[in-house]
Amino acid sequence: MNNLNIYTELFISFFKIGFFGFGGGYSMLALLEREIVQMHGWLSVTEFVDIIAIAEMTPGAVAINSATFVGYQIAGVAGAAISTFGVIFPSLLLVIPAAKLVTLFYQNKNLQNALNGIHPAVIALIGLAAYVIGVNSIIDIKSALIGVGALLLLTFTKIHPLLLIAAGAVAGLIFYL
Amino acid sequence: MLPLVKREIIDKKHWMENGDFLDNLALAQSLPGPVIINMSLLTGYRLRGIKGSISSVLGTAMPSFVIILTIALFFWQYRDYYLIQAAFMGIRPAVTALIIYTIFQLGKRVFEDYRSLLLFMLFLSGLIFVNLHPITIIVVSAIVGILWPLNNNSKKEQTP
């Protein structure tokens, strides 16, 4: 594989993910899945899910963690650096001008309506991430039970996500060994 | 991660008033890209201009870059070990639950306007069944929002 090409492709993919990544980490997962798994086949779905789990367990934004990880898997340390830069670059371009034009930003009714209109789409993207990840994670009765149990814990106990993942790991060891 | 940012910026370093922090947060959440990166850029820019924003974005990105690289370099190879495999069999459904729970939480606020719920179902069907690209959905939803404004009681409306 041509190295220069792969670096360019990584940069473009992660630039797209950063540029259209409205609504925070989980909605960016849908973009990641489409670009990384479906379009380029850089990762399998299970690898993708496991990287998200690791990103969830480690500090820092999920989008950045996934960029670093995927970049490294595809093209080593340079790939990791280029992918991470790619996902941050749109913010570098957009945030400072937006801060300077902040009054204009809030007074522009069309812009505000567009940003409001994105909300249902953001939730739909999170829905897609849940669907893709769910279909590949919940594969039998045992994993379904773990999933339902986790959802009940989240709803009724406000358990910390890190603790929930640890509990999932313990449940996995109990059920699957 | 946001409570950590708030404690560092407001309580410990006194770099910013609470109101300014919330204004920055609203802006950071409206713009594309990782919220934490946008927040770093805004805080750094407010304190020391462009140089400040570059320093703070590097400061935020470096730890996760190093941590993830370490995991990729030294731990990923043990993923096929049977104990790790079993643990991940349980971790994956837990991650799914986390994502579904986020949908419930966001939905509670956004779906107060029934049109949002309708659009959500339409968009999700398009993504799953027609395999539409997420970028298409984002662009279409922005256009729909301009032509047919939704009444989401978002945080943005409380800021000047």
Side-chain angles (χ1 to χ4, degrees), chain A residues 18-19 21 26 34-35 47 50 64-65 69 72-73 91 95-96 100 105 113 115-116 119 121 124 137 168 172-173, chain B residues 27 30 32-33 37-38 45 64-65 72-73 76 79 83 86 88-90 92 101-102 124 131-133 141 145 152 160:
Chain A
F19 194 84
Y26 285 150
R34 194 55 56 97
E35 285 290 322
E47 282 176 321
D50 292 353
I64 297 182
N65 289 352
F69 205 105
Y72 177 78
Q73 293 291 325
S91 297
V95 170
I96 305 305
K100 283 192 165 171
F105 184 84
N113 285 338
L115 288 171
N116 259 335
H119 288 172
S137 307
L173 288 171
Chain B
L27 187 60
S30 305
I37 291 295
N38 296 349
Y45 184 72
S64 29
F65 184 76
L73 278 163
W76 192 245
R79 204 172 72 102
L83 283 176
F88 268 105
M89 288 296 285
R92 289 181 202 131
Y101 183 65
T102 310
L124 187 58
N131 211 23
L132 288 176
H133 197 287
S141 69
N152 296 332

Side-chain angles (χ1 to χ4, degrees), chain A residues 14-164:
Chain A
F14 280 99
F15 183 85
K16 270 156 89 178
I17 292 161
F19 194 84
F20 288 97
F22 289 92
Y26 285 150
S27 66
M28 290 171 104
L29 292 183
L31 283 159
L32 278 164
E33 193 271 336
R34 194 55 56 97
E35 285 290 322
I36 306 307
V37 180
Q38 277 201 33
M39 287 177 65
H40 291 282
W42 282 330
L43 290 176
S44 73
V45 185
T46 15
E47 282 176 321
F48 175 68
V49 180
D50 292 353
I51 287 169
I52 293 158
I54 289 170
E56 196 72 53
M57 286 183 270
T58 47
V62 175
I64 297 182
N65 289 352
S66 330
T68 308
F69 205 105
V70 170
Y72 177 78
Q73 293 291 325
I74 307 308
V77 177
I82 284 167
S83 305
T84 309
F85 184 66
V87 86
I88 294 174
F89 194 52
S91 297
L92 293 176
L93 293 179
L94 293 172
V95 170
I96 305 305
K100 283 192 165 171
L101 304 170
V102 70
T103 2
L104 213 69
F105 184 84
Y106 283 118
Q107 277 167 358
N108 188 323
K109 205 70 205 144
N110 281 338
L111 188 60
Q112 287 307 310
N113 285 338
L115 288 171
N116 259 335
I118 287 175
H119 288 172
V122 163
I123 306 180
L125 294 189
I126 303 175
L128 176 69
Y131 172 77
V132 172
I133 293 167
V135 165
N136 290 283
S137 307
I138 295 167
I139 45 175
D140 53 18
I141 298 284
K142 289 185 278 186
S143 49
L145 282 175
I146 297 173
V148 171
L151 201 54
L152 290 174
L153 270 177
L154 277 170
T155 315
F156 293 111
T157 68
K158 309 262 176 270
I159 185 176
H160 192 278
L162 204 60
L163 203 59
L164 185 84

Side-chain angles (χ1 to χ4, degrees), chain B residues 16-93:
Chain B
M16 215 179 267
E17 300 287 317
N18 197 37
D20 291 340
F21 178 81
L22 290 178
D23 286 353
N24 272 357
L25 183 60
L27 187 60
Q29 286 175 327
S30 305
L31 295 166
V35 175
I36 193 74
I37 291 295
N38 296 349
M39 238 358 229
S40 312
L41 284 165
L42 286 171
T43 309
Y45 184 72
R46 204 181 190 97
L47 293 170
R48 288 289 184 277
I50 298 285
K51 281 182 190 164
S53 64
I54 291 172
S55 320
S56 49
V57 82
L58 279 175
T60 306
M62 278 316 275
S64 29
F65 184 76
V66 172
I67 291 168
I68 293 293
L69 213 54
T70 310
I71 292 174
L73 278 163
F74 301 110
F75 298 106
W76 192 245
Q77 50 183 311
Y78 300 112
R79 204 172 72 102
D80 292 330
Y81 187 60
Y82 75 104
L83 283 176
I84 306 284
Q85 283 278 345
F88 268 105
M89 288 296 285
I91 289 173
R92 289 181 202 131

